[in-house]
Amino acid sequence: MDVNAAVAALAAIAGVCTGVIAMLAFRWSERDQARPTRTSLHTDAVLPPGVDTVLSVLRSSAVVLDESDSVVKASSAAYALGLVRGGKLAVEAMLHMARDTRRDGEIRQVELDLPRRGTGRGEALAVSARVAPLGSRLVLLLVEDLTEARRIEAVRRDFVANVSHELKTPTGALSLLSEAVMDASDDPEAVTRFAGRMQIEATRLTNLVQELIDLSRVQNDDPLEDSESVRVDELVAEAIDRSRQPASTKQINMASGGTPGLHVWGNRSQLAGALGNLVENAVNYSPARTRVGIAVHRVSASGGDLIEIAVTDQGIGISEKDRERIFERFYRVDPARSRATGGTGLGLAIVKHVAASHGGEVTVWSSEGQGSTFTLRLPEAAAARERTATGQDEDDHGPDLDADPDATDPSLRLAPPTVIPAPEVLP
């Protein structure tokens, strides 16, 4: 009996001890939960009310730093630019700005050039960084990407400089020639010669101003506002007629071929101007007694069928380094020859903008000493494709190249598709 009483007493004492220990553990757990931890200092809870919402809608890259320079909050754009790595601000110059602002409370702003992530070519990323205090312990860093804005500004600056130079050349020549005419008033032969030069410079100036207007129009206008189904045969016929006189002077044969009855959808005047520029360039930069061809085909593509118009010449060709820049405004492969032919350096830039605005593209293939092929690809008009499939072609819309009265002229004869293979060079 005494033994049983002793065991019961020990059991009671053990139960009391267990209860006390459980109570102490519970109190200790509540105390730890109430105490701020090291990780909780770097969560959104330390941000002032509303700041997290504001940062989430900002276009600029946002980074919030605490007093130990650890990142409390960073937007996805900041990670994309490579500003934050491993929970730290990776740009040393911005880190120094943040420390200075935390010390004196002044707002600072600076423009920096940062290396691009994932490129080994040393390309710079232009950014504008602004640092401001956020409360008593935090610092806010806003970074804006200025790379595209700087590129556009450089293009605009170069364009203005090039326009000024190109306009100054013919106007200066006209001024000098007019003075020469006045000085040679008693020499009819000299007056006639100088007047002829003045007409050439005046024509060049007129062409330059017109192409500037055309370039501005294709850049600003929406081709869909005045679009229609355009017959490709008509565009080809207009391009040939536009270059008929200079081609005849140089004894250049122009031939067209390919698939008849195709249509594209877009602004007719812009498309005619783009194709006319390609044919005109082919004639101007081809030697005498050569051949220029225009081939039209339908090609299949993932997003729908495309109409491919290839303009091939037998000129001197274009070097590889020049092929990368020929679609830039005012760029000329041979400036001396461009001036001799009246070229302004804007024709291919206009072609590029027209193709892009119509959902297409323009490409070039060239081999020095053999010739070049410029290929204009445009989406086919869906309604015209259905009409062609059912055999209901529009015979009363525009001239038929086969029935053209000049078809007996070998320079305008409709050649079979195999005569002008693109991008192969004409024989």
Side-chain angles (χ1 to χ4, degrees):
M1 186 68 181
D2 294 336
V3 173
N4 292 334
V7 170
L10 290 175
I13 295 173
V16 172
C17 292
T18 301
V20 172
I21 293 174
M23 183 177 295
L24 292 175
F26 178 75
R27 293 290 181 87
W28 187 269
S29 176
E30 285 187 337
R31 185 178 179 182
D32 283 347
Q33 291 180 1
R35 180 185 303 167
T37 62
R38 180 180 179 84
T39 57
S40 67
L41 291 175
H42 303 288
T43 61
D44 296 342
V46 301
L47 293 177
V51 172
D52 191 15
T53 304
V54 173
L55 296 181
S56 63
V57 299
L58 286 177
R59 290 186 177 182
S60 303
S61 302
V63 180
V64 178
L65 304 176
D66 62 9
E67 63 273 12
S68 62
D69 293 332
S70 297
V71 175
V72 176
K73 179 73 176 180
S75 63
S76 58
Y79 285 99
L81 290 179
L83 303 180
V84 178
R85 298 175 187 173
K88 295 289 185 179
L89 188 62
V91 182
E92 194 68 24
M94 296 180 186
L95 190 59
H96 288 309
M97 290 175 57
R99 292 169 179 171
D100 294 339
T101 297
R102 185 184 300 110
R103 184 179 61 254
D104 54 27
E106 293 185 3
I107 298 176
R108 289 174 169 81
Q109 183 171 355
V110 67
E111 292 188 2
L112 302 171
D113 291 333
L114 307 178
R116 286 183 182 270
R117 295 186 62 185
T119 60
R121 295 174 293 179
E123 297 180 353
L125 186 70
V127 298
S128 174
R130 185 178 180 88
V131 181
L134 185 64
S136 59
R137 299 184 299 109
L138 304 180
V139 173
L140 173 63
L141 172 66
L142 297 178
V143 180
E144 184 177 358
D145 188 358
L146 302 179
T147 307
E148 184 66 15
R150 283 192 180 181
R151 187 191 67 81
I152 294 175
E153 180 60 30
V155 171
R156 183 183 295 111
R157 184 170 56 252
D158 292 343
F159 180 71
V160 172
N162 287 330
V163 169
S164 302
H165 174 74
E166 295 296 333
L167 291 175
K168 183 179 179 180
T169 301
T171 53
L174 287 173
S175 177
L176 293 176
L177 288 170
S178 63
E179 293 179 2
V181 169
M182 294 178 61
D183 295 338
S185 57
D186 56 346
D187 186 354
E189 183 178 351
V191 170
T192 302
R193 185 173 66 254
F194 291 142
R197 291 287 305 278
M198 291 179 67
Q199 288 182 343
I200 294 175
E201 295 298 334
T203 301
R204 179 176 297 167
L205 181 60
T206 301
N207 292 339
L208 175 59
V209 172
Q210 183 60 49
E211 290 200 341
L212 286 172
I213 295 173
D214 293 341
L215 180 60
S216 176
R217 183 179 293 116
V218 300
Q219 285 181 318
N220 298 325
D221 292 354
D222 184 1
L224 298 179
E225 294 181 357
D226 190 22
S227 59
E228 57 181 318
S229 179
V230 183
R231 188 172 180 176
V232 180
D233 293 342
E234 295 180 0
L235 299 178
V236 173
E238 289 184 24
I240 290 176
D241 187 66
R242 172 175 167 178
S243 300
R244 187 193 304 270
Q245 193 276 330
S248 177
T249 301
K250 300 173 66 174
Q251 300 180 15
I252 294 177
N253 289 335
M254 291 189 295
S256 60
T259 307
L262 299 179
H263 294 72
V264 293
W265 187 265
N267 186 294
R268 192 182 191 285
S269 62
Q270 292 187 12
L271 293 173
L275 182 58
N277 284 343
L278 292 180
V279 176
E280 186 176 16
N281 281 350
V283 172
N284 289 338
Y285 291 92
S286 292
R289 293 179 295 277
T290 56
R291 185 181 177 94
V292 171
I294 306 100
V296 180
H297 298 284
R298 178 191 290 120
V299 295
S300 299
S302 58
D305 289 348
L306 300 176
I307 302 303
E308 186 176 270
I309 309 173
V311 180
T312 305
D313 63 61
Q314 294 176 303
I316 60 176
I318 306 171
S319 65
E320 184 176 357
K321 66 180 182 65
D322 289 324
R323 287 199 297 269
E324 299 176 356
R325 301 190 57 190
I326 55 175
F327 293 104
E328 296 180 10
R329 288 169 287 191
F330 294 109
Y331 184 80
R332 298 184 179 93
V333 175
D334 186 350
R337 186 169 185 179
S338 297
R339 294 191 181 279
T341 59
T344 62
L346 291 174
L348 291 179
I350 293 175
V351 175
K352 178 182 177 180
H353 281 287
V354 170
S357 64
H358 284 75
E361 63 173 354
V362 59
T363 59
V364 59
W365 172 93
S366 185
S367 178
E368 292 187 82
Q370 298 185 34
S372 305
T373 296
F374 286 84
T375 303
L376 181 63
R377 296 184 182 88
L378 300 168
E380 183 181 16
R385 174 64 183 273
E386 295 174 0
R387 188 165 48 248
T388 302
T390 58
Q392 301 175 354
D393 195 13
E394 300 175 83
D395 294 332
D396 57 341
H397 289 264
D400 186 352
L401 294 181
D402 283 325
D404 191 86
D406 294 327
T408 55
D409 185 348
S411 66
L412 297 177
R413 183 171 59 250
L414 183 64
T418 55
V419 173
I420 314 168
E424 296 179 4
V425 182
L426 292 170

